[in-house]
Amino acid sequence: MGTGTSLGRVRGLGAAKDGVHHWWLQRITAVSNIVLVLWFIGSLVRLPSLDYASVTLWLRQPVAAVPMLLFIVSVFWHLRLGVQVLLEDYLHGASRVLAMLALNFYTLAGAAAAVFAVLKIALGAA
């Protein structure tokens, strides 16, 4: 049946069978963050200047906007996975539930705002 008693599994004291998946997601997002940070730095170095006009002109190109969107999603996903581990390890009870809700709200709101900003520039809004 597995480790632990039936009561322990019901109370959530047994293995959740989700740790390996979470661990792999953290590693995959970490590697994608490294690749995308290198792309981002390389792209900014190649720009003639870092003023508003140059950056928005660069971000209007699909070859820049798509990796930027991937970068945003990867960074916020990695952030959520890492902070989730900290919250699960150090908080218990109602404070843990509230902290997880706040974490989910923060990461979703931050990612949505960043994606909206990139799309607004990429699609040519004034």
Side-chain angles (χ1 to χ4, degrees):
M1 194 77 175
T3 59
T5 65
S6 298
L7 182 60
R9 281 191 301 277
V10 169
R11 288 184 179 163
L13 301 175
K17 306 287 191 251
D18 197 38
V20 174
H21 182 254
H22 189 97
W23 186 86
W24 271 111
L25 284 176
Q26 280 186 310
R27 287 357 179 235
I28 290 169
T29 56
V31 170
S32 69
N33 285 345
I34 291 169
V35 170
L36 290 166
V37 162
L38 293 174
W39 163 81
F40 184 63
I41 292 171
S43 296
L44 290 180
V45 167
R46 291 190 339 218
L47 287 177
S49 67
L50 294 177
D51 62 345
Y52 178 79
S54 297
V55 174
T56 54
L57 187 62
W58 166 71
L59 204 49
R60 286 180 192 236
Q61 302 170 13
V63 77
V66 171
M68 182 62 75
L69 292 171
L70 292 173
F71 185 40
I72 290 166
V73 170
S74 180
V75 165
F76 276 96
W77 195 0
H78 187 74
L79 167 83
R80 191 205 168 280
L81 291 170
V83 175
Q84 177 185 348
V85 170
L86 290 173
L87 295 178
E88 289 172 347
D89 286 347
Y90 295 108
L91 294 179
H92 304 287
S95 62
R96 180 181 185 179
V97 172
L98 291 175
M100 288 297 291
L101 287 172
L103 171 66
N104 290 333
F105 175 77
Y106 172 77
T107 53
L108 184 61
V115 166
F116 176 76
V118 170
L119 289 176
K120 186 173 178 179
I121 292 171
L123 299 176

